[in-house]
Amino acid sequence: MMQGQCLSLKTIESSNMNPLPLPYAHQWIDEHDIQAVVSVLRSDWLTTGPKVEEFEQAFAGYVGARHAVAVSSGTAALHTAMFALGIGHGDEVIVPPITFVATANAVVFQGGTPVFADVEAGTLLMDPQQVQEKITSRTKAIIAVDYAGQSCDYDALHSIAKEHGLALMADACHSLGGQYKGRKVGTLADLTVFSFHPVKHITTGEGGMIATDDPELAERMRTFRNHGIDMDHTSRMKQGTWQYEMMELGYNYRITDFQCALGLSQLNKLTSFVQRRREIAEMYDRAFASIKGINPLHTPPEVMNSYHLYVIRVNDRDQLFGQLREKGIGVNVHYFPVHLQPYYQKTFETREGLCPVAENAYNHILSLPMFPQMNDNDIERVVTVIEEILN
Ligand SMILES: *Cc1c(COP(=O)(O)O)cnc(C)c1O
């Protein structure tokens, strides 16, 4: 389940000459990115400086949201969003089981209880019908996870949220640059969370962002990422005062200026990164259409998938996983259902049988290499090796 980084760029560049290991994901850092970071290192501001706001504004502009708040990781972003929504002890938040553990953990950080709603078999996205059935008088919010890069059914989720007075949050760590019914990811929920871990669409090393149209939520999040203090160092300097007030219990979830400089530089390439991811997916789709036994996830027509992952379903997943790994193809499995993690079983008494669709899917899913720097030969190599194994 580790989202590890695997290999150096050099390995990838030579991969079409030698059958060297191919990772399932990899960042793409160029000279411009490096220069952007270096120039901040030479400046006066390493953190809480101008690059943070610049990155936030550029990012908000890209996704079409009024506000964006940058933090130190996607996990910090999820926690910050839970705080902003006022999630606390005894509150229930509905989450899907097919996601990274951090989605559910963020509810627990605030003393809440994650309630798992099963996914749809074709997409492995949260099933609105299942969400509806999990609502109780304690339910406060829904976290939709755009698994693999495609948006959940936000129209359905919105109407459920509205009917029951719930907040709707999107964990869009997989779907930056995607769309739903022509609307951009980042505008589809009350709060939308992103990650800039190296395996994601753009990277800041570690980093995260929350997009929202609500100025009050944005303000609460800015305070939370800075210990719950209502003023940061810059504004104290401007106002000529040493005084500050801690209004709430917050954390140090700040991101540095050199990370934000990298984020800004990466953001310039996001559109082309997503374009290449979609091309790679199309090549996989075409190849697997004629290979029996390989069943990619279904993408609904109203969704523009930005493909964080390319997920197939196969009968004997464990065998295919082992053989591909042996041949140097960096496949992975996303995810072991969160409600079956020992911590959740122990703490919340979640058991096998709670989310049968997710549990069954878990036995068959496999994530193939997917990152923009993959070349056509890399893709062909993955397909050819799979064909050889299946025959
Ligand atoms: C990556 C990821 C996270 C956590 O992001 P980090 O930046 O690694 O903390 C949360 N949710 C999902 C779905 C993710 O893929």
Side-chain angles (χ1 to χ4, degrees), residues 3 73-75 78 99-100 102-103 171 173-174 195 197 200 207 335:
Q3 309 202 359
S73 70
T75 304
L78 286 165
T99 184
F100 186 50
T103 315
D171 178 338
C173 291
H174 291 192
S195 162
H197 182 277
K200 305 292 164 65
Y335 294 96

Side-chain angles (χ1 to χ4, degrees), residues 25-318:
H26 199 279
Q27 72 274 15
W28 191 346
I29 300 291
D30 67 14
E31 202 47 42
H32 186 271
D33 295 323
I34 293 165
Q35 283 314 314
V37 172
V38 168
S39 81
V40 171
L41 291 176
R42 294 188 204 284
S43 79
D44 286 337
W45 292 98
L46 296 190
T47 191
T48 336
K51 284 292 166 195
V52 179
E53 211 181 311
E54 213 183 301
F55 183 36
E56 289 176 338
Q57 286 181 0
F59 191 91
Y62 191 96
V63 301
R66 289 215 180 86
H67 308 276
V69 179
V71 291
S72 54
S73 70
T75 304
L78 286 165
H79 185 189
T80 301
M82 285 286 96
F83 169 83
L85 294 177
I87 301 304
H89 270 280
D91 291 341
E92 293 179 358
V93 177
I94 300 177
V95 300
I98 298 288
T99 184
F100 186 50
V101 290
T103 315
N105 292 353
V107 179
V108 185
F109 294 162
Q110 283 299 104
T113 301
V115 173
F116 295 91
D118 211 350
V119 293
E120 284 174 350
T123 57
L124 304 187
L125 296 173
M126 205 177 211
D127 182 344
Q129 188 62 42
Q130 292 296 319
V131 171
Q132 185 94 47
E133 284 171 22
K134 297 286 174 161
I135 292 172
T136 72
S137 58
R138 296 174 161 225
T139 310
K140 291 280 153 55
I142 302 165
I143 308 182
V145 176
D146 295 345
Y147 176 68
Q150 40 190 5
S151 300
C152 296
D153 187 350
Y154 283 99
D155 281 353
L157 292 174
H158 259 300
S159 68
I160 294 169
K162 199 169 167 200
E163 187 189 330
H164 298 273
L166 312 176
L168 179 58
M169 188 175 136
D171 178 338
C173 291
H174 291 192
S175 60
L176 175 58
Q179 292 181 17
Y180 167 83
K181 298 187 179 174
R183 282 134 61 193
K184 282 184 182 171
V185 168
T187 63
L188 301 166
D190 301 322
L191 291 167
T192 306
V193 164
F194 300 92
S195 162
F196 307 129
H197 182 277
V199 300
K200 305 292 164 65
H201 292 84
I202 59 170
T203 190
T204 58
E206 300 280 358
M209 191 79 85
I210 313 101
T212 184
D213 280 344
D214 185 327
E216 269 171 46
L217 287 177
E219 202 43 49
R220 278 175 68 73
M221 295 193 289
R222 289 184 203 288
T223 303
F224 186 73
R225 76 169 167 193
N226 189 36
H227 309 279
I229 291 169
D230 65 349
M231 238 197 269
D232 65 16
H233 172 68
T234 329
S235 36
R236 282 205 306 281
M237 276 217 328
K238 270 188 209 137
Q239 296 185 17
T241 177
W242 63 82
Q243 272 189 323
Y244 56 80
E245 285 183 308
M246 189 190 120
M247 310 302 288
E248 309 254 18
L249 182 64
Y251 290 73
N252 178 352
Y253 279 161
R254 298 187 303 258
I255 188 169
T256 65
D257 278 59
F258 47 93
Q259 286 175 298
C260 290
L262 179 55
L264 273 163
S265 176
Q266 289 261 300
L267 192 62
N268 287 329
K269 293 168 277 200
L270 176 55
T271 302
S272 66
F273 284 173
V274 170
Q275 180 58 32
R276 181 58 187 160
R277 284 177 179 274
R278 288 174 55 76
E279 274 170 28
I280 294 166
E282 226 181 284
M283 289 178 72
Y284 276 143
D285 281 346
R286 236 179 291 131
F288 296 140
S290 57
I291 302 178
K292 242 185 96 179
I294 302 287
N295 190 9
L297 289 185
H298 168 67
T299 295
E302 67 270 23
V303 170
M304 195 272 237
N305 193 335
S306 65
Y307 288 101
H308 165 53
L309 302 172
Y310 188 90
V311 178
I312 59 168
R313 285 153 309 170
V314 285
N315 203 23
D316 196 343
R317 188 271 316 278
D318 293 356

